Amino acid sequence: MMPPGGLLVIPLEDLHGATTKEFAAKLEMCEAIAFCSSSCSPSSASVQTGVDARTIEVEACKGLSALLEDMPEKVRRIVLLTDSLAESSTCPMELFFTRAMRERSPNASPLRFSIVRATIASESDCEAVFAQPVEVVSKMPAMVKDAVSGLRSAYMGGVVRSVQMMMGSQEEEDMQQLTSPGAAAKALQFALRRGLDVPELTVTGGAPADWEELLLAMIGPEIWRLPVEDARRMRTWLQGWVEFNYCRGANQGGAAMKKAGLKTPVEVRLSAKGACIKFVPSGSRTPGAGFEGLLEGGLELLVDDEAPGRPARLRVRRCAYGWRTKPREGSERAILSRLQRDWELTQKLRS
């Protein structure tokens, strides 16, 4: 189901038998790696038949520690595909990667890890699953709004493992939590090729979907989205607003920075779709790296033109957060609150 170009499939049996050097050599040209767990939900028939596969997975994990230490520099992302209904404790790879990423040295090469959860429908269930709209559930920042139709955001407390179901029989509920093989492959493809900026997501359903649109909010991730009537007018207003508030001394500590409601200096670049505001704490600038080299976090403010099925919109998403850099939520909230307040005031003055 994945595009043929650049796809390398390695069975877990091969991983178990290969030396670290042999496996690292296979990954030399890879930028992202997907591992497919053998773990299954308790209701799955393969729980009884999948003992050998799970044993192989446990053995494969033993060699992954050394592999992570010797991971080729080009590899930047690891994605784990696992059963959305299975307990985390039954998935050796999830337990291994969660612990390994937490304990990974700050001096090691940047390596981002995310989980795609999906309970793949059997052949007999596929026809019913193909009729169900695709839904994505993910943990998003607490400031996020309802980002897209069909996206359910868990603001706090981790990822919701299943979508809220309409009242019905257990059989109907179980069916609504299944995923078509194609939908799981699309989510995995997006995670590998574009990357996810959320820890994990759960996919259900199987009807045709605009995957770029459905998963767009996972890049950044987005923290706010607002429909607007006129994209060009909004873009002009937004760039003027950014210049007025953040290009008049907010790039250094002092009265201008405090007036903007910030505790950290910022640097700004305007773009064709809006603007990018990056945080520049004292001592963080690398000589010669320029704006692109600022990796202490920031916000992208983007205005999308109207498209079939949706209005023009303003999107605000995180950007430029380097390896293990914690989000500057206070500064983000200050910028976003001012943006919301000033836009609402502008709308009142125009009416």
Side-chain angles (χ1 to χ4, degrees), residues 86-327:
E87 293 294 328
S88 297
S89 58
T90 67
C91 179
M93 280 199 168
E94 181 175 347
L95 294 173
F96 167 79
F97 279 119
T98 301
R99 183 178 64 252
M101 292 299 124
R102 184 173 61 245
E103 297 174 354
R104 188 171 175 81
S105 169
N107 298 322
S109 59
L111 188 60
R112 300 183 185 274
F113 172 63
S114 52
I115 301 173
V116 174
R117 300 188 186 275
T119 300
I120 308 300
S122 62
E123 287 187 21
S124 59
D125 292 330
C126 270
E127 186 175 343
V129 173
F130 286 147
Q132 295 175 15
V134 171
E135 295 213 5
V136 176
V137 181
S138 179
K139 181 180 179 180
M140 302 290 281
M143 289 180 285
V144 80
K145 297 291 184 183
D146 289 339
V148 290
S149 177
L151 177 68
R152 306 290 187 266
S153 298
Y155 296 153
M156 303 293 234
V159 174
V160 178
R161 285 199 166 191
S162 59
V163 295
Q164 293 185 350
M165 303 298 170
M166 294 177 64
M167 294 298 291
S169 67
Q170 183 66 42
E171 184 178 345
E172 289 173 335
E173 184 173 320
D174 289 344
M175 184 66 70
Q176 287 176 314
Q177 297 184 67
L178 297 178
T179 312
S180 72
K186 287 288 188 182
L188 187 59
Q189 175 185 334
F190 189 96
L192 288 170
R193 297 197 180 281
R194 296 285 299 274
L196 297 173
D197 293 317
V198 292
E200 56 181 279
L201 59 83
T202 300
V203 184
T204 62
D210 183 345
W211 285 93
E212 287 291 318
E213 179 67 19
L214 188 64
L215 295 173
L216 185 62
M218 307 298 169
I219 298 176
E222 286 186 24
I223 61 174
W224 194 47
R225 184 177 287 199
L226 175 74
V228 297
E229 292 183 4
D230 188 325
R232 181 181 294 181
R233 176 182 288 183
M234 181 63 191
R235 206 170 287 129
T236 302
W237 178 89
L238 179 68
Q239 291 177 337
W241 177 85
V242 168
E243 287 186 317
F244 179 81
N245 287 287
Y246 303 106
C247 295
R248 299 185 178 187
N251 62 336
Q252 51 190 334
M257 186 187 78
K258 291 179 181 178
K259 186 179 178 182
L262 300 174
K263 293 182 179 179
T264 305
V266 295
E267 191 162 320
V268 173
R269 289 291 184 277
L270 300 184
S271 66
K273 295 188 71 172
C276 180
I277 303 173
K278 288 189 178 183
F279 305 122
V280 193
S282 178
S284 64
R285 191 184 296 275
T286 303
F291 188 74
E292 293 301 318
L294 299 176
L295 298 176
E296 291 295 322
L299 294 178
E300 271 190 297
L301 291 75
L302 307 169
V303 181
D304 296 333
D305 292 321
E306 183 179 353
R310 65 160 180 81
R313 64 196 178 190
L314 165 66
R315 296 187 296 119
V316 181
R317 67 185 184 189
R318 287 175 175 162
C319 69
Y321 277 103
W323 172 238
R324 289 194 166 174
T325 303
K326 291 184 178 180

Side-chain angles (χ1 to χ4, degrees), residues 38-54 83 86 90:
S38 61
S39 299
C40 301
S41 62
S43 60
S44 172
S46 59
V47 169
Q48 283 73 38
T49 61
V51 177
D52 291 338
R54 189 175 185 279
D83 194 317
T90 67

